[in-house]
Amino acid sequence: MLELISFGEKGYGWLLVQGAWITLQLSFVGFAAALVLGVLIAMATLERRGLRWMAWRVYASVFMGVPSLLVIFLLFFGGAEIVRGLLAPFGIKAKLDMTPFTAGAIGLAIVYSAYMAELVRGAIQNVPKGQLESAAALCIPRTHIWTKVILPQAARLALPGLVNLWIILLKDTALVSLVGLNDIIAQAKIAAGSTKQPFVFYTAAAVFFILFGAVTVRYSRYLRERLERGQRTAQT
Amino acid sequence: MSFDFALAWENLPALLAGAVTTLSLTFPVMALAALISLPMVLARLSKNRLLSGFVVLYVALFRGAPSLILLYLIYNGMAQMDAVRDGPFWFLFSSAYFCAVVGFTLNHSSYVIEILAGGLRAVPAGLVEAAQALSLTPRQVFLRVKLPLAIRYGLKAYQNEVLIFMKSTSAVSAITLVDLMAVANEVFYFTYDPFTPLLSAAAIYWAMTNILRLGFEMIDRRLNHYLHIAGLSDRAGASAAAAEIPVRQNGLTRMFARLRV
């Protein structure tokens, strides 16, 4: 049994590792893009009224109400046409191939940016108001207020939620195998098909997700300690 | 990039049939998960190390693995084992619907267990002590005091989980079950128009999640009635805070001051 997932001639070990690497790449790219997009949306929608707020409510409602698989399918099959349609008014004729990876990364980024924005906005609002007031009183430029004062402190508050979202996103990358990405699930499926041992390979893939999720949660502690440096904690 | 209304109308019955499959997967799984999570939570919180260890392992395994893998494992993996194939339950495991229900129940219930356990831990000790001091039996303390409060505490998290789970059922087409997502895909393969079927399916999914959300909000209003008394709602609080801010500030400060802190 173990021979099958070994790295030898008969084993499918390397195939699974390649798949795992693609899964990791996809989840890192998707997460980073979702985070950037989410922070930008959060910064733009701090005010609970106006056009931006309404636009955000529509965005959130749509992408939180629709399965991420559907968004990925839509981008994979129609993404090239959407981009063409968007660029046509500017006279740009773009020819673009949608690969499963790009469709997956963009889809995950769009869907998770909605959750991200919700989380980050909450964190920004929970940064003590005095921080902002003193920064404004010191005439610190606006960009510096954001990058040096507000966002680092918001990062500390948002971290538990971010770790949570990371785990959910990691598992959601499994769906991208359905549009043809050669990630760990697809490789496990290939190996299962040619050896008639699906149980071994699917278990191996499941163990990868469980272990990788557990490891990242464990190591997020170091990130937390770094973000919390200088914070006073109650002595009990 | 265009939406073909005639095509959407023509395929609406098929899409709605797919939506019925989605729902007929969602509700049984919700019911099953609710049924098994209560004894599992009791086991999780019990002093027996073996029992609580089992539940911790169960949650770690089935919450950590993507539901797609669980589906493959049960649908394709179980079929490969002779013990299952020759066993008395083969007629169950050979059905994609049954396998999907089992797979999603394992995944969904592990989240529900965590939510319920968190809710039970959040019940104030003073309330439990007061109940004990009134000589309620342990059973009464659990059923009349702890459980109702835990359900109220966990309702919002449960709502989120149910919505996420319902959307994740869109992966069942991988094990040949024809749900809403699968119908939309079929239409796409026939017509080669990705936008009409997928956007129609998106609209149906959107409607389903929002109806479910409204249902949860009704339950929430009923259970957490005391939190929704006028004057305590956050809108009133926000406008009261907004009235207090001095007028002349730079834009960013004003923006913040208007927010609830």
Side-chain angles (χ1 to χ4, degrees):
Chain A
M1 286 281 246
L2 277 177
E3 198 182 50
L4 287 171
I5 51 169
S6 70
F7 295 102
E9 243 169 66
K10 282 186 194 149
Y12 285 83
W14 281 119
L15 205 68
L16 291 181
V17 169
Q18 278 169 12
W21 174 234
I22 290 178
T23 297
L24 289 184
Q25 277 176 316
L26 179 67
S27 42
F28 276 123
V29 171
F31 189 81
L35 184 61
V36 171
L37 212 58
V39 170
L40 291 179
I41 295 174
M43 284 166 63
T45 56
L46 284 170
E47 242 176 311
R48 278 173 180 271
R49 58 179 175 203
L51 206 65
R52 274 186 297 186
W53 178 256
M54 266 151 42
W56 151 248
R57 287 317 309 161
V58 172
Y59 183 87
S61 174
V62 167
F63 290 110
M64 287 178 172
V66 157
S68 39
L69 181 64
L70 200 146
V71 177
I72 293 167
F73 265 107
L74 193 66
L75 283 171
F76 183 61
F77 294 128
E81 213 175 319
I82 294 173
V83 173
R84 238 191 341 265
L86 288 177
L87 291 179
F90 303 103
I92 307 170
K93 271 198 191 131
K95 193 167 162 11
L96 167 120
D97 280 326
M98 214 25 133
T99 63
F101 190 91
T102 12
I106 297 174
L108 290 174
I110 291 176
V111 170
Y112 281 91
S113 68
Y115 293 95
M116 241 13 137
E118 198 81 88
L119 178 75
V120 173
R121 183 154 31 72
I124 291 175
Q125 286 170 358
N126 281 323
V127 172
K129 217 162 41 168
Q131 295 286 330
L132 186 90
E133 286 166 355
S134 42
L138 291 168
C139 287
I140 297 175
R142 220 179 142 93
T143 29
H144 282 184
I145 294 185
W146 278 111
T147 56
K148 306 270 172 178
V149 182
I150 306 296
L151 289 181
Q153 299 190 68
R156 180 174 65 86
L157 298 173
L159 188 67
L162 288 178
V163 173
N164 209 7
L165 274 180
W166 160 253
I167 301 293
I168 299 174
L169 188 140
L170 179 69
K171 287 189 291 169
D172 245 14
T173 58
L175 298 176
V176 187
S177 68
L178 295 180
V179 292
L181 184 74
N182 283 326
D183 69 342
I184 186 160
I185 312 245
Q187 303 287 38
K189 207 175 172 185
I190 293 169
S194 52
T195 57
K196 302 271 178 269
Q197 291 286 349
F199 213 80
V200 179
F201 291 105
Y202 291 135
T203 309
V207 166
F208 161 77
F209 280 99
I210 293 166
L211 279 187
F212 197 75
V215 166
T216 38
V217 169
R218 176 141 272 233
Y219 282 95
S220 72
R221 214 184 67 210
Y222 294 107
L223 203 60
R224 198 190 70 213
E225 275 165 12
R226 182 165 163 71
L227 290 171
E228 277 182 357
R229 70 199 187 280
Q231 281 290 316
R232 201 162 57 93
T233 48
Q235 302 291 321
T236 45
Chain B
M1 211 169 93
S2 61
F3 190 86
D4 184 350
F5 280 100
L7 183 65
W9 179 250
E10 192 186 318
N11 288 304
L12 195 62
L15 287 168
L16 288 178
V20 169
T21 309
T22 297
L23 290 179
S24 67
L25 204 57
T26 306
F27 289 122
V29 170
M30 275 170 72
L32 276 175
L35 265 181
I36 66 170
S37 59
L38 192 60
M40 294 284 260
V41 164
L42 290 177
R44 170 88 168 72
L45 299 174
S46 82
K47 289 198 175 59
N48 187 331
R49 294 275 287 277
L50 204 69
L51 275 177
S52 65
F54 166 73
V55 179
V56 169
L57 191 72
Y58 176 92
V59 169
L61 285 183
F62 296 122
R63 207 167 60 146
S67 43
L68 183 61
I69 290 208
L70 292 177
L71 294 181
Y72 280 143
L73 253 179
I74 293 165
Y75 186 65
N76 298 338
M78 294 291 246
Q80 212 63 40
M81 293 200 294
D82 291 334
V84 175
R85 221 170 14 193
D86 301 332
F89 296 111
W90 173 236
F91 75 98
L92 287 175
F93 282 99
S94 62
S95 127
Y97 176 77
F98 178 80
C99 291
V101 168
V102 172
F104 282 118
T105 303
L106 292 176
N107 190 250
H108 178 57
S109 67
S110 60
Y111 280 95
V112 178
I113 289 169
E114 278 301 285
I115 292 168
L116 203 54
L120 283 173
R121 269 195 296 264
V123 174
L127 274 176
V128 179
E129 284 162 9
Q132 283 164 345
L134 290 169
S135 73
L136 266 64
T137 61
R139 189 209 197 92
Q140 281 175 321
V141 172
F142 184 78
L143 288 178
R144 299 290 172 104
V145 180
K146 288 174 85 175
L147 194 60
L149 278 172
I151 289 173
R152 283 168 203 205
Y153 293 152
L155 191 67
K156 211 72 197 168
Y158 181 62
Q159 173 190 334
N160 281 337
E161 165 49 25
V162 167
L163 292 185
I164 290 176
F165 149 67
M166 194 188 79
K167 288 184 279 170
S168 74
T169 59
S170 59
V172 287
S173 59
I175 59 166
T176 71
L177 214 59
V178 186
D179 73 329
L180 177 52
M181 186 72 221
V183 173
N185 263 334
E186 262 169 32
V187 176
F188 161 67
Y189 288 128
F190 276 119
T191 59
Y192 237 69
D193 169 9
F195 298 106
T196 308
L198 287 177
L199 290 178
S200 318
I204 297 173
Y205 270 116
W206 184 85
M208 291 199 299
T209 42
N210 277 284
I211 290 169
L212 217 55
R213 189 176 56 79
L214 289 177
F216 269 108
E217 264 159 32
M218 263 163 65
I219 298 171
D220 179 59
R221 257 201 296 284
R222 182 154 169 68
L223 289 181
N224 291 327
H225 174 67
Y226 59 98
L227 292 178
H228 293 284
I229 302 162
L232 284 177
S233 73
D234 53 15
R235 179 171 293 182
S239 57
E244 286 169 16
I245 46 161
V247 187
R248 215 169 294 159
Q249 286 166 331
N250 78 37
L252 197 63
T253 326
R254 220 173 23 241
M255 210 150 86
F256 266 80
R258 217 176 279 140
L259 301 166
R260 274 182 311 119
V261 180

